[in-house]
Amino acid sequence: MSVPQSSLLTGTAGEELAASLKGRDFLALADYTPQELRYLIDLAIELKRRQKSGETYHPLKGKTLGMIFEKASTRTRVSFEVGMYQLGGHALFLSGNDLQIGRGEPVSDTAQVLSRYLDGIMIRTFAHRTVIELARSATVPVINGLTDSEHPCQVMADYQTALEHKGRLEGLKVAYIGDGNNMAHSLLMGAAKLGMHMSVATPDGYEPDAGIVAQTRKVAADTGSIIHVCRDPREAIEQADIVYTDVWASMGFEAEQAERERAFAAYQVNEELVKSAKPDYLFMHCLPAHRGEEVSEGVIDGKHSIVFDEAENRLHAQKAILAALL
């Protein structure tokens, strides 16, 4: 289904939204209005169209992004690095072990030094407070490439992909089955901001953070979204437009793998479970996936799966964030 032409990218409204984003940090979806998030998604679709048509667009010519990686990544590193190149800029890979921050230099000192060299900083790390501290001390935009609490760039790509396939976001139901982790947190806030409904099913003890759920429900009250957290995956997936899952043991929790396999045994997204979703449901996963654990091969490799469209859109969604902020 084709995406309706956006009116947010042109005219006075588009100019005002563009101005509101310039120079901002991108740490969590809660920091952005529904209109700003939709503008970024629409911009991502437009930048994707330009690339596919062979147009050259270099708004970031001469600009440099520093990419700090304290957690390894495939999609985050490649998409940000390629994205900066396609926008006319340059990206630097900065391993946490190669920086003085890995030897005890305060985050605030690193932020101030890097701000003298760079036009923007992307960081993929563990504690969310590290990103907040970095942004507080930096004088250039800071982008959250992932923390243990949030994964906002991934969700921008996720909902861009949903829009491309469904033609709308408002009123769609997302069912998330599995660990109430950073993905669940950002998906919840994104859904509430964009007028989508979302149900989350997790085992006891693995629920999403109660404070984030409460914050999401407060947003949902203004947008008309319905947010539901439960134990039963069949209850959550009932009549879902989008079915989403993630690995049971995220990076940093590998030592809990065996324990989590037992806890999540009834939460695999498989052919039997998805019978409760809508007939035209879409399956999404942020990747990497463990086939046979959180999802069956038949689902992730089946006709409803759009995981590789989703992965591709990391490039386009992040280009939109880079172009808007830098």
Side-chain angles (χ1 to χ4, degrees):
M1 182 179 293
S2 61
V3 179
Q5 185 69 28
S6 172
S7 61
L8 290 179
L9 301 181
T10 59
T12 302
E15 292 173 359
E16 291 176 352
L17 285 167
S20 75
L21 295 169
K22 189 174 182 180
R24 295 261 298 274
D25 297 318
F26 194 79
L27 308 185
L29 300 184
D31 301 333
Y32 281 70
T33 68
Q35 293 77 19
E36 289 168 341
L37 292 178
R38 184 54 192 264
Y39 173 89
L40 288 171
I41 291 173
D42 290 347
L43 180 58
I45 291 171
E46 171 60 17
L47 294 179
K48 182 178 182 178
R49 183 197 66 78
R50 293 188 182 197
Q51 181 198 331
K52 298 292 186 183
S53 65
E55 293 182 37
T56 299
Y57 181 60
H58 289 162
L60 300 186
K61 185 177 181 180
K63 294 187 179 291
T64 304
L65 176 75
M67 307 187 303
I68 301 174
F69 282 88
E70 295 186 320
K71 276 189 173 184
S73 172
T74 298
R75 280 150 291 277
T76 300
R77 177 178 179 179
V78 175
S79 56
F80 268 108
E81 194 161 335
V82 172
M84 277 299 290
Y85 173 78
Q86 291 182 354
L87 293 171
H90 179 68
L92 295 170
F93 175 79
L94 306 171
S95 166
N97 294 328
D98 296 332
L99 297 173
Q100 294 299 333
I101 195 173
R103 298 176 58 195
E105 181 177 60
V107 173
S108 59
D109 286 3
T110 297
Q112 292 181 73
V113 169
L114 292 181
S115 295
R116 305 291 181 104
Y117 304 143
L118 304 168
D119 298 287
I121 302 168
M122 188 283 298
I123 181 169
R124 182 177 169 95
T125 187
F126 293 88
H128 193 71
R129 64 178 178 273
T130 300
V131 175
I132 294 173
E133 186 177 352
L134 187 72
R136 185 180 294 124
S137 299
T139 57
V140 297
V142 172
I143 299 170
N144 177 5
L146 175 141
T147 65
D148 287 344
S149 178
E150 304 275 353
H151 201 353
C153 291
Q154 176 68 54
V155 170
M156 294 302 288
D158 294 340
Y159 289 150
Q160 174 194 343
T161 312
L163 178 59
E164 289 174 342
H165 281 265
K166 291 293 188 181
R168 65 185 175 93
L169 293 176
E170 296 81 2
L172 293 180
K173 177 183 176 180
V174 181
Y176 177 89
I177 312 298
D179 188 19
N181 57 14
N182 49 7
M183 278 307 315
H185 294 159
S186 291
L187 284 166
L188 278 164
M189 183 56 69
K193 291 273 185 176
L194 295 166
M196 306 168 76
H197 310 309
M198 186 166 175
S199 292
V200 177
T202 69
D204 185 28
Y206 295 93
E207 305 87 351
D209 180 84
I212 291 177
V213 173
Q215 186 183 22
T216 299
R217 285 184 168 140
K218 186 174 181 180
V219 171
D222 294 329
T223 61
S225 297
I226 299 172
I227 302 301
H228 180 58
V229 179
C230 64
R231 292 275 177 266
D232 186 354
R234 284 178 175 77
E235 177 184 342
I237 207 171
E238 185 71 28
Q239 290 298 295
D241 297 284
I242 297 166
V243 178
Y244 203 116
T245 192
D246 191 9
V247 294
W248 291 340
S250 298
M251 193 176 300
F253 295 91
E254 291 87 352
E256 302 176 11
Q257 179 68 33
E259 176 185 346
R260 285 172 173 260
E261 285 180 8
R262 290 190 294 271
F264 287 91
Y267 288 80
Q268 184 188 77
V269 176
N270 53 38
E271 290 85 340
E272 182 62 30
L273 182 62
V274 296
K275 289 179 181 178
S276 297
K278 287 184 178 177
D280 62 346
Y281 84 93
L282 301 174
F283 175 74
M284 304 182 79
H285 192 304
C286 56
L287 302 182
H290 295 164
R291 288 166 171 79
E293 289 185 17
E294 74 273 6
V295 61
S296 67
E297 289 188 10
V299 170
I300 193 171
D301 297 323
K303 65 180 182 179
H304 295 275
S305 177
I306 54 171
V307 297
F308 296 113
D309 291 347
E310 181 186 0
E312 178 191 344
N313 280 340
R314 286 293 302 277
L315 171 64
H316 308 298
Q318 287 158 188
K319 283 171 67 176
I321 294 167
L322 291 166
L325 272 55
L326 272 59

